[in-house]
Amino acid sequence: MTITPPALSVFETLESEVRSYCRGWPAVFDRAQGSQLHDEDGHAYLDFFAGAGSLNYGHNNPVLKRALIDYIERDGITHGLDMATTAKRAFLESFQNIVLRPRDLPYKVMFPGPTGTNAVEAALKLARKVKGRESVVSFTNAFHGMSLGSLAVTGNAFKRAGAGIPLVHGTPMPFDNYFDGQVPDFIWFERLLEDQGSGLNKPAAVIVETVQGEGGINVARGEWLRALQALCERQDMLLIVDDIQMGCGRTGGFFSFEEAGITPDIVTLSKSISGYGLPMSLCLFKPELDIWEPGEHNGTFRGNNPAFVTAAAALDAYWADGQMEKQTLARGEQVEQALLGIAAENADAGVSFRGRGLVWGLEFEDPSRASAICTRAFELGMLLETSGPRSEVVKLLPALTISPDELDQGLRILARSVRETG
């Protein structure tokens, strides 16, 4: 397939230079269904991006679309702030019965605003309020959002520089395997906490991704996460897990931390919690942490009721019987086998891969190679993006509902793109 870049006049002349994804994928997209997008010229593209993880159930999922259309057609509430509505009640009941109770998770549910960074800001604010301390520890190569509080606990230098002011009250520590296993876990962190001369203010909390998506698909070991939870308990710090991209089944279980057997104090969810790509986020926390005063943290669009409708439909359709987790792990094995072959073919080029469930990264020593692969994949009809501090990782993030045949097709396009850019 040969793609002819369209005339992007109005986008180039009117829209801000800040746009990014459209530069790598120069097409004008018109419609989408499942794992397929179509541009206005009729070209089809296989989606291994899934709205940056916000479309775990694919584009215009028919089950969720039907629920949404029915709700709109009966003039259901669209904008509700934090008012009680039937749509919110249905979501909360499904979330409690399908997600929280079977996992013995006692969390209270907060709707902080419609985006992931809203949820992170709420988590940071609550942790500081509970502990009466300002400092929050994050990890190397972390990404937690683009608002100022979230940027302060994000590692990427380019994104941090965009703040335009000093980013304070955040302290980075080494993520799992940062020193290639040569340094015992948390020896530096705990030494700083216990040394009265270290200069490290006592943190209110630690925030972590179990798999760093934007940071390069860096997968934390279960033992590292368990040791982190134990450290937080010893040092009177809250543990926040940012599950915005890796939650909602991306790694297998509904929450990415389930496999490690930990129970964070606070959890943030967004992206695929609505199931349909509609803006929605949650901040979950243990009941004893719920010390908010009414209205102390709010947001105009935290009551996006159409998102509640599709979120409840997604839980009811995909999480009530336990099959989604099994399917995701099976699809993950299919990806892993393909990446083993690609890595073996490119052993001399220092290619490596890592991942869990249906999030995988293929890393190249030469960052330009990863970008070239994504460009070639687009020419062949597939959407892929890069991640990592140098954009050195090709990131695979297909919908959880992708068929085995579509997954195989995408993996073959990836393998061809690697060969043709070598």
Side-chain angles (χ1 to χ4, degrees), residues 61-247:
N61 181 288
V63 175
L64 311 190
K65 180 168 64 175
R66 185 72 264 160
L68 179 60
I69 290 173
D70 289 346
Y71 184 76
I72 292 171
E73 286 185 337
R74 74 168 184 82
D75 292 329
I77 297 292
T78 296
H79 181 271
L81 294 158
D82 68 358
M83 293 183 289
T85 66
T86 55
K88 183 194 282 189
R89 180 174 60 199
F91 166 71
L92 286 170
E93 289 174 347
S94 290
F95 193 70
Q96 183 176 51
N97 294 330
I98 295 173
V99 176
L100 297 181
R101 279 181 177 160
R103 293 162 179 81
D104 197 26
L105 294 172
Y107 296 134
K108 298 290 288 293
V109 178
M110 175 183 178
F111 300 95
T115 71
T117 199
N118 291 139
V120 171
E121 295 284 358
L124 299 177
K125 185 189 288 188
L126 180 60
R128 288 169 171 141
K129 180 178 173 65
V130 168
K131 292 300 182 183
R133 307 178 205 134
E134 297 175 351
S135 177
V136 173
V137 166
S138 57
F139 291 94
T140 50
N141 293 313
F143 179 80
H144 295 291
M146 297 298 284
S147 51
L148 292 179
S150 301
L151 275 178
V153 290
T154 287
N156 186 283
F158 174 72
K159 291 181 171 63
R160 287 175 63 89
I165 62 171
L167 296 170
V168 297
H169 308 308
T171 304
M173 290 291 165
F175 190 71
D176 190 17
N177 204 38
Y178 189 73
F179 295 110
D180 299 321
Q182 299 178 28
V183 178
D185 295 336
F186 307 116
I187 186 170
W188 170 245
F189 189 1
E190 193 149 28
R191 181 72 59 86
L192 289 176
L193 289 169
E194 295 178 348
D195 182 357
Q196 296 300 307
S198 71
L200 175 65
N201 293 332
K202 183 79 169 183
V206 174
I207 185 167
V208 67
E209 303 154 276
T210 66
V211 181
Q212 294 181 327
E214 300 306 308
I217 318 301
N218 305 313
V219 182
R221 294 167 297 136
E223 54 264 39
W224 187 85
L225 292 167
R226 289 188 290 272
L228 176 60
Q229 178 176 258
L231 173 61
C232 288
E233 291 171 351
R234 286 196 305 274
Q235 297 290 343
D236 187 34
M237 302 179 297
L238 297 178
L239 177 60
I240 304 169
V241 168
D242 180 341
D243 234 3
I244 287 166
Q245 188 167 91
M246 298 304 157

Side-chain angles (χ1 to χ4, degrees), residues 35 191 196 241 255 291 308 333 355:
S35 290
R191 181 72 59 86
Q196 296 300 307
V241 168
F255 295 105
I291 63 171
F308 299 158
E333 292 176 3

Side-chain angles (χ1 to χ4, degrees), residues 48-65:
F48 266 47
F49 174 64
S54 64
L55 294 167
N56 281 2
Y57 311 104
H59 295 268
N60 288 302
N61 181 288
V63 175
L64 311 190
K65 180 168 64 175

